[in-house]
Amino acid sequence: MFVSTFLTNLHLIIIDLLLFLCISSVWFYCYAIYAAITFFAEPQPIDLEFHPPVSILKPICGLDSDAYENLASFCQQNYRKYQIIFAVRNSKDPCIEVVEKIIHNFSDLDIVLIVSDRIIGTNLKVSNLANAAIKAKYDILLLADSDIRVGTDYLQRVIQPLQDKSVGVVTCMYRSLTQGWISTLEAIGTTTEFHAGVLVSNIQENGIKYAFGSTIVIPKKVLEAIGGFEAIADYLADDFQLGYLPVQAGYKVVLSDYVVEHVQTSNNLFDTIKRQIRWARCKRVSRPWGYLGLIFTYGIVTSLLLLIATDGSILAWLGLCICWVTRLVMAWIVGNISLKDPIVKKFLWLVPGWDLLSFAIWCFGFIGNTIEWRGQQMKLTKDGKLLVQEDKSYQLSIKVLTRTLWQKFTYL
């Protein structure tokens, strides 16, 4: 009798919890719609007389899809004075040939190629940035990943918030140019889930407190105030730290209304899931409470669970319809209308499938602290730093070799 009563009460508690999560997710979707409309309602002002010289740092490793088009877009800016510094670690990297072609085709620009294997920490991308910064002529640095593509007005627009001396960092959201259905599914998640959260955070926290590798504009004085690139050299989420640390130093991070394009290559499902788990674990250690709070955004999942838990009750069906419709409307407004992502317009029907996959990845992100990054097994510390794990196969070989030598020695 006691067990039966306990199970009944537990079942009712689970139903109430799922209903609460459904309501919370609908509230989040509606708030994201409001945040997107508010943010893009009025374009940020542009002062054409404000054009301080800028040093663009481009860390490169390997050959991205459409590498020439991506990198060349930064050489076509309608901007008075800027330099571009490409930084590569390996002198045999295939991207060097592309950079040399760009230098030849844009010979009138100040473009520098740095090839240096100097390492300042575990994150090799940050080492590339540090090596590039040595050659930076100007007081304002702009960092952008190699798979980003921009328009000719990009530099003039993203630099504008620096007119306010309290601004330490400017960053941008992005929409994806994809190849393959797996990349399309991932792009749907980035545009309609991740950026929805960014827009909500931007309003709730009166400005975000992190940055994205798609674009980071940071004056040298701000970089020096946080300890330079050396301060973030061991972090996996270097872009997050380049926003977070300036905020701790008293500066503001501004989210630009300029949306860059991210050229996303075709991947198989296994590689995509591995990357998403890496990002999930990274977000968990960087913003633990924010990561936990994502449970309130999975209305697609919780409405399905509520339907199962209530054996298909009318209330559950009503909750499911409201959650799914609100989620799709939010995806359409954030992705298609606000970010102008053509992927969302064409593949809106993939949103529920992505949410189911994303929820599974979110759950898995709570487990373990190891990641695979650029072919290396690494461990994430509680504060987000990277530790290179020792090669176990190498250790095993050493043990076998030691045992063999010992046996031979004892036999003699």
Side-chain angles (χ1 to χ4, degrees):
M1 183 67 180
F2 172 78
V3 173
S4 177
T5 303
F6 173 78
L7 291 176
T8 300
N9 291 335
L10 179 61
H11 184 246
L12 291 174
I13 291 173
I14 291 174
I15 290 175
D16 289 342
L17 177 60
L18 290 172
L19 183 60
F20 172 74
L21 291 176
C22 287
I23 295 172
S24 299
S25 65
V26 170
W27 177 89
F28 171 79
Y29 300 151
C30 292
Y31 198 88
I33 292 171
Y34 164 75
I37 294 173
T38 302
F39 182 76
F40 288 99
E42 295 183 10
Q44 294 174 354
I46 300 175
D47 181 2
L48 296 178
E49 298 302 315
F50 182 73
H51 42 70
V54 178
S55 293
I56 300 175
L57 312 185
K58 298 288 290 185
I60 308 177
C61 180
L63 204 57
D64 295 321
S65 177
D66 299 325
Y68 180 86
E69 290 78 7
N70 299 341
L71 301 179
S73 68
F74 286 82
C75 304
Q76 300 166 339
Q77 296 300 302
N78 293 329
Y79 200 77
R80 183 169 297 181
K81 183 182 290 186
Y82 66 100
Q83 71 166 156
I84 304 177
I85 307 169
F86 296 103
V88 187
R89 290 194 65 252
N90 189 343
S91 60
K92 295 182 180 180
D93 196 307
C95 71
I96 292 179
E97 183 178 349
V98 175
V99 174
E100 289 175 341
K101 182 179 179 181
I102 287 175
I103 292 174
H104 177 267
N105 291 346
F106 297 93
S107 56
D108 56 324
L109 292 181
D110 184 0
I111 305 177
V112 180
L113 171 62
I114 304 293
V115 181
S116 174
D117 59 359
R118 183 177 74 105
I119 298 175
I120 64 170
T122 313
N123 189 325
L124 299 182
K125 172 189 167 184
V126 177
S127 294
N128 260 354
L129 288 169
N131 294 335
I134 294 173
K135 295 293 184 178
K137 296 179 180 178
Y138 306 124
D139 291 333
I140 297 177
L141 305 178
L142 187 151
L143 328 176
D145 291 342
S146 59
D147 54 5
I148 297 300
R149 188 180 300 177
V150 297
T152 57
D153 60 340
Y154 161 76
L155 195 50
Q156 181 68 65
R157 286 179 59 182
V158 299
I159 211 73
Q160 293 300 312
L162 290 186
Q163 294 182 74
D164 182 351
K165 299 303 180 183
S166 66
V167 174
V169 175
V170 183
T171 193
C172 293
M173 292 182 287
Y174 51 94
R175 53 178 168 259
S176 296
L177 303 176
T178 63
Q179 299 175 8
W181 72 272
I182 295 295
S183 296
T184 297
L185 181 65
E186 190 174 14
I188 285 286
T190 299
T191 304
T192 70
E193 179 189 53
F194 176 69
H195 285 321
V198 171
L199 290 168
V200 168
S201 177
N202 188 54
I203 288 185
Q204 279 191 328
E205 300 177 16
N206 194 26
I208 59 174
K209 295 176 173 58
Y210 43 86
F212 312 121
S214 56
T215 292
I216 298 175
V217 183
I218 182 169
K220 283 184 177 178
K221 65 177 183 180
V222 177
L223 185 63
E224 291 168 358
I226 65 172
F229 285 117
E230 288 76 10
I232 63 168
D234 291 322
Y235 286 91
L236 172 62
D238 51 276
D239 49 359
F240 174 87
Q241 295 296 330
L242 281 173
Y244 175 75
L245 293 179
V247 169
Q248 303 308 304
Y251 292 95
K252 294 191 297 186
V253 177
V254 171
L255 182 65
S256 172
D257 62 357
Y258 190 94
V259 182
V260 302
E261 293 180 333
H262 169 231
V263 181
Q264 193 164 324
T265 56
S266 179
N267 294 298
N268 60 53
L269 184 59
F270 180 70
D271 289 339
T272 297
I273 290 175
K274 281 201 305 182
R275 180 171 59 254
Q276 289 293 328
I277 290 174
R278 183 180 76 225
W279 289 347
R281 288 173 176 166
C282 182
K283 285 185 282 188
R284 188 198 74 208
V285 298
S286 298
R287 303 187 74 199
W289 288 110
Y291 187 77
L292 184 62
L294 290 176
I295 186 61
F296 299 109
T297 69
Y298 288 115
I300 294 287
V301 178
T302 52
S303 62
L304 282 173
L305 293 175
L306 179 63
L307 190 66
I308 295 171
T310 60
D311 294 325
S313 69
I314 295 176
L315 178 64
W317 276 111
L318 180 62
L320 183 141
C321 290
I322 294 174
C323 281
W324 284 51
V325 169
T326 314
R327 172 68 173 105
L328 292 174
V329 170
M330 182 269 278
W332 182 263
I333 292 176
V334 172
N336 183 57
I337 297 178
S338 298
L339 297 179
K340 296 178 172 57
D341 192 331
I343 299 296
V344 176
K345 185 175 182 179
K346 190 175 181 181
F347 297 100
L348 183 68
W349 55 274
L350 285 175
V351 168
W354 168 260
D355 281 9
L356 292 173
L357 178 61
S358 177
F359 179 75
I361 291 170
W362 176 78
C363 293
F364 203 82
F366 283 101
I367 306 170
N369 292 306
T370 59
I371 63 167
E372 184 179 330
W373 193 42
R374 296 191 181 278
Q376 281 189 306
Q377 290 293 326
M378 297 186 175
K379 183 177 180 180
L380 274 174
T381 64
K382 289 183 178 180
D383 58 354
K385 288 187 176 181
L386 285 168
L387 296 176
V388 179
Q389 290 191 316
E390 295 180 354
D391 191 336
K392 294 182 179 180
S393 62
Y394 173 78
Q395 290 180 332
L396 181 61
S397 298
I398 293 295
K399 289 180 180 179
V400 171
L401 179 60
T402 303
R403 189 185 305 116
T404 303
L405 290 174
W406 174 253
Q407 289 173 348
K408 288 184 178 293
F409 177 79
T410 53
Y411 176 79
L412 293 174

